[in-house]
Amino acid sequence: MKHLKSLREFVAELAAVGELQRVDREVDWNLEIGAIIRRSYDLRAPAPLFETVTGYRDSGFRVLGAPGGLSAAHHPLARIALALGLSHDATGRDIMAAIVAARDRAGIPPRVVDASSAPCKQHIHRGDDVDLFAFPTPLIHGNDGGRYIQTFGMNIARTPDGSWTNWSINRMMIAGRDTLACLIPGPQHLGIIRDMWTRRGEPMPIALALGVEPGLPYAGAMPLPEGVDESHFLGALFGEGIEVVPAETVDLLVPATAEIVIEGHIAVDETVPEGPMNEYPGYNALERSPKPVFHVSAITHRDNAILPVVAAGPPVEEDHTGTGTMHAAELLYQLRKAGLPIAATWFSYESALHWLLVAARSDWHETLPISSAELAKRVGEVVFSGKAGFGVPKVLLVEDDIDLTDVNEVVWAFATRAHPEHGEVHFAAEPTAALSVYLSEAEQHSYRAGKVIYNCLLADLFEASRRPVKGNFDSGWPPEIRDRVLGNWHAYGYR
């Protein structure tokens, strides 16, 4: 594992593998940056680093777009893999294995370093010097309700008794020079902690760290159990604690190498209009509603700070790669803990996280002599029972001969293996996320809707010697013919 300890180390690694595009031409924060980021997702182009932003030419501040987007075909998961300490050409299964292995290890707490040497303390602003508009925060989408400074940072909050610190990603929109409008859903861990402070009648201390070391947003997206500190999990992944320093005006520890840290309190009952802002299902948002206010008491930042920005929308962007990767790993961990013969899990990024893919070991029927329908039922009972599967409406259950990260193979398996009449196992009125556009108004408000497992398993339908085998290049020709074709590929005239 290679622990990249700052966003700048991550940027250097991206540049080394051709996954960074420095944009020297001046670009406008007003929609142009957002459109370029969106286009980079669509083309799987390198992550854009905007060096000169209209209105901020002399500030030295920069913007990094698409920090967790997909990459070129020869290393599509490079940004995810590098952030999690792996080689840029790591596979999806490599990534899952590393995360699940860390999940079984004891957490390692952060290490406090001297503030005098912490890059995030190079500039400190308090009181009247606080100005959120000093940063080149883009208006990302044409229908956004404002400029969203928090799209890929860490919200850091702690319970009143100090027993649990939560690190999470929830959007925040600039409401004024020293105020933010915050999305804080009640069922999420940040909402649970905020409720503890509200019941005491006290504003919740909070720090927003932007441009953090690249593994932290993934740890923040991990659906760990209530009471577990995400920074400790990241320590387990890398075998060492992350570096932190005390904040200036709140009793919290913040990442020492963060590009920007915004400190303050969430008001007890004060709100401000927020939204609309596009979300992971991929459709333009329309609603604006009152949200909690974050009163900023201090801002610290590095020289020439870099603001990471996500342009949420249709797949594939960081809502899909970050949340999807970490939720799939947690579900793999849970399925194995339940004693099920599961080889792999993956979220289809292209499905906007609406398809969880689960691969049973090819010997599942010999290991667990039950029907595929019964195995599908057991998988659903695990997946749909907790936080990690809260947002999962549909599961495709296949054998391990399918590469879950190859959308073409997944579509082929779904189309050819799921029986149209009895290939589904239904679960009624399960807890669910409310953002899927097909949900009724009642389902959205109740957070309950039907879910389904699509049974694409074959092992219980055939004797072992007669089970269907893929007729692809690897399975359909003898090794000597495959070697000859590969060896002569350029000789045939292909380039």
Side-chain angles (χ1 to χ4, degrees), residues 7 10-11 14 19-20 37-38 40-42 44-49 64-72 75-84 95 151-153 169 212-218 221 307-312 314-326 346 349 353:
L7 181 66
F10 180 61
V11 166
L14 292 181
E19 282 301 320
L20 185 77
I37 295 172
R38 181 71 252 175
S40 77
Y41 292 138
D42 295 342
R44 295 199 180 184
L49 178 62
L64 175 67
L70 291 184
S71 301
H75 52 219
L77 306 176
R79 292 174 221 179
I80 305 165
L82 289 170
L84 294 172
I95 293 169
T151 60
F152 202 63
I169 305 175
V212 296
E213 64 172 79
L216 265 173
Y218 291 89
L307 173 67
V309 172
V310 168
V316 175
E317 41 90 351
E318 286 78 1
D319 283 304
H320 312 117
T321 60
T323 302
T325 300
M326 306 310 289
W346 192 253
Y349 298 151
L353 306 188

Side-chain angles (χ1 to χ4, degrees), residues 189-427:
H189 287 169
L190 183 62
I192 291 170
I193 293 176
R194 193 225 173 181
D195 184 59
M196 294 178 184
W197 286 96
T198 300
R199 289 200 305 267
R200 291 163 60 107
E202 299 178 29
M204 179 179 73
I206 189 167
L208 166 58
L210 302 164
V212 296
E213 64 172 79
L216 265 173
Y218 291 89
M222 186 83 172
L224 295 168
E226 187 172 323
V228 175
D229 187 315
E230 289 79 7
S231 70
H232 292 208
F233 168 77
L234 198 64
L237 179 69
F238 291 120
E240 61 180 0
I242 68 169
E243 296 179 350
V244 294
V245 292
E248 295 293 311
T249 58
V250 291
D251 185 18
L252 292 167
L253 296 172
V254 299
T257 64
E259 297 287 327
I260 302 166
V261 177
I262 301 171
E263 307 172 12
H265 293 78
I266 304 294
V268 174
D269 54 11
E270 184 182 353
T271 63
V272 68
E274 184 270 346
M277 208 288 188
N278 294 353
E279 286 279 7
Y280 73 88
Y283 298 90
N284 282 349
L286 302 174
E287 293 186 2
R288 185 174 180 85
S289 60
K291 298 292 195 310
V293 176
F294 180 159
H295 287 283
V296 179
S297 51
I299 298 175
T300 72
H301 65 85
R302 297 184 65 153
D303 293 333
N304 303 318
I306 302 171
L307 173 67
V309 172
V310 168
V316 175
E317 41 90 351
E318 286 78 1
D319 283 304
H320 312 117
T321 60
T323 302
T325 300
M326 306 310 289
H327 279 63
E330 178 64 14
L331 287 167
L332 178 57
Y333 174 78
Q334 293 180 6
L335 287 163
R336 289 178 175 172
K337 285 292 184 184
L340 299 179
I342 302 304
T345 57
W346 192 253
F347 265 101
S348 168
Y349 298 151
E350 293 81 1
S351 75
L353 306 188
H354 285 57
W355 283 2
L356 171 69
L357 313 175
V358 178
R361 293 202 315 262
S362 295
D363 66 349
W364 70 265
H365 193 46
E366 290 77 21
T367 303
L368 198 65
I370 60 176
S371 70
S372 59
E374 178 60 26
L375 178 56
K377 181 174 180 292
R378 294 190 189 182
V379 167
E381 288 170 348
V382 174
V383 170
F384 300 144
S385 66
K387 179 184 177 184
F390 179 74
V392 179
K394 304 166 187 176
V395 178
L396 274 62
L397 179 60
V398 300
E399 265 105 8
D400 196 26
D401 64 321
I402 298 300
D403 179 357
L404 300 185
T405 66
D406 185 335
V407 68
N408 295 319
E409 285 204 23
V410 171
V411 170
W412 171 70
F414 183 31
T416 62
R417 300 185 185 187
H419 194 286
E421 184 178 1
H422 49 76
E424 300 173 2
V425 178
H426 291 275
F427 294 75

Side-chain angles (χ1 to χ4, degrees), residues 18 53 321 438:
V53 180
T321 60
Y438 59 75

Side-chain angles (χ1 to χ4, degrees), residues 123-193:
H123 301 269
I124 299 174
H125 306 276
R126 297 169 178 259
D128 292 341
D129 290 335
V130 167
D131 183 7
L132 293 167
F133 292 108
F135 301 102
T137 304
L139 182 67
I140 302 170
H141 312 94
N143 59 305
D144 282 355
R147 297 166 71 176
Y148 280 85
I149 196 169
Q150 158 60 318
T151 60
F152 202 63
M154 301 307 304
N155 307 321
I156 307 166
R158 192 168 61 204
T159 56
D161 66 3
S163 63
W164 172 32
T165 299
N166 175 247
W167 305 62
S168 64
I169 305 175
N170 291 93
R171 73 190 193 212
M172 294 187 180
M173 185 189 84
I174 296 176
R177 284 175 58 94
D178 60 357
T179 54
L180 294 165
C182 307
L183 175 66
I184 307 179
Q188 294 185 6
H189 287 169
L190 183 62
I192 291 170
I193 293 176

